[in-house]
Amino acid sequence: MSTPTEFTGVTEFTVEPYPGLPLTVRDVGAGRPVLVLHGGAGPASVSGVVDHFAATSRVLAPTHPGWEDTPRPEWFASVGDLVETYLDLLDDRDLRDVLVLGSSFGGWIAAEMAVRDRGRRIGGLVVMGAFGPRLEGHEVQFPTAPPGPPPGEGSGPGQGPGPGQGSGASAPRRGPSPAALQALAAYAGPTKSDPKLLHRLARVTVPALAVWGENDTVVPPDYGRAYAAAIPGAGFELIPGAGHLPTREAPEATFAAIDAFLGAAGR
């Protein structure tokens, strides 16, 4: 059962994949489907990604349970829970040849979806600043900045409302809210990683790209190189001058890299 809502050209629907677990999904545009998965900073942090693809594609952008004041039952507490929920969403909507793009924590979910996609719903994978793999000598540093827009909003790169504010999203936070950090810790676990992930990524058979900001201090570029090395045929793009959210900090270069990858893949 779903409940649609219309606002500023964007459709939002809510489904209940499990009793007591409502899932809110933005649905905008038309064409080949794209699933956009946000990271710890929440749905607003990927609003520019949604708007970029909505010009030519149908974009689904769910809010992970626990973000934006959405409920997250205690039992719903792993990356696998999110992966199965989003794969079911693709099945239930009968979506095929789906490009799955995940940022930060969303990239971990996206990669696992590509590994477990038994229904062959996924046609391409893009991960940006994604953690998940366990790398010797590296530890993911969750952001700890207080919620809310940064001081001097709009005064510098990546500080004002990101691209795509016309799609109905609010201004991105400087960092995850306390509730989001609590949900993120529950999903990611104490190690914020999965030691088996890099081995399982060998099962991915769709075109894949890892995109990283060269100055990412949350998830260093070595993680992107590890993703690209583990996925057969995957590419790696380093975005000069960008940090953890390259689509906000260097949008032109980042989207140029993604669009070139998709063009080469025939999308």
Side-chain angles (χ1 to χ4, degrees), residues 129 211-219 239-247 249-250:
V211 180
W212 247 256
E214 69 170 345
N215 300 324
D216 191 338
T217 58
V218 179
V219 187
I239 307 301
H244 188 53
L245 296 174
T247 54
E249 297 148 347

Side-chain angles (χ1 to χ4, degrees), residues 39-41 104 131 140-146 173-178 180-181 184 192 216-219 244-245:
S104 188
F131 58 103
V140 174
Q141 300 296 323
F142 281 179
T144 57
R173 297 177 183 272
R174 181 165 39 160
S177 69
L181 283 174
L184 186 58
K192 311 181 187 92
D216 191 338
T217 58
V218 179
V219 187
H244 188 53
L245 296 174

Side-chain angles (χ1 to χ4, degrees), residues 61-235:
T63 297
H64 309 321
W67 272 259
E68 305 296 310
D69 299 320
T70 58
R72 181 190 63 82
E74 287 190 14
W75 61 266
F76 195 83
S78 73
V79 171
D81 290 335
L82 290 164
V83 168
E84 295 303 323
T85 296
Y86 295 146
L87 286 173
D88 286 346
L89 177 67
L90 302 186
D91 284 341
D92 293 345
R93 301 272 152 173
D94 195 23
L95 299 176
R96 301 180 184 276
D97 193 25
V98 181
L99 171 66
V100 180
L101 185 151
S103 174
S104 188
F105 175 58
W108 182 358
I109 303 167
E112 280 284 6
M113 288 181 67
V115 170
R116 303 190 196 186
D117 181 28
R118 303 295 185 264
R120 299 292 187 265
R121 299 282 178 177
I122 296 173
L125 172 68
V126 176
V127 295
M128 299 188 301
F131 58 103
R134 183 174 298 176
L135 299 186
E136 194 68 32
H138 292 282
E139 183 177 353
V140 174
Q141 300 296 323
F142 281 179
T144 57
E153 180 174 306
S155 61
Q159 287 192 333
Q165 293 308 302
S167 65
S170 58
R173 297 177 183 272
R174 181 165 39 160
S177 69
L181 283 174
Q182 185 178 23
L184 186 58
Y187 289 128
T191 65
K192 311 181 187 92
S193 65
D194 183 340
K196 299 179 181 179
L197 179 57
L198 287 180
H199 302 286
R200 291 200 302 274
L201 289 174
R203 292 185 57 91
V204 177
T205 59
V206 299
L209 177 69
V211 180
W212 247 256
E214 69 170 345
N215 300 324
D216 191 338
T217 58
V218 179
V219 187
D222 281 351
Y223 281 83
R225 297 185 180 97
Y227 268 107
I231 300 173

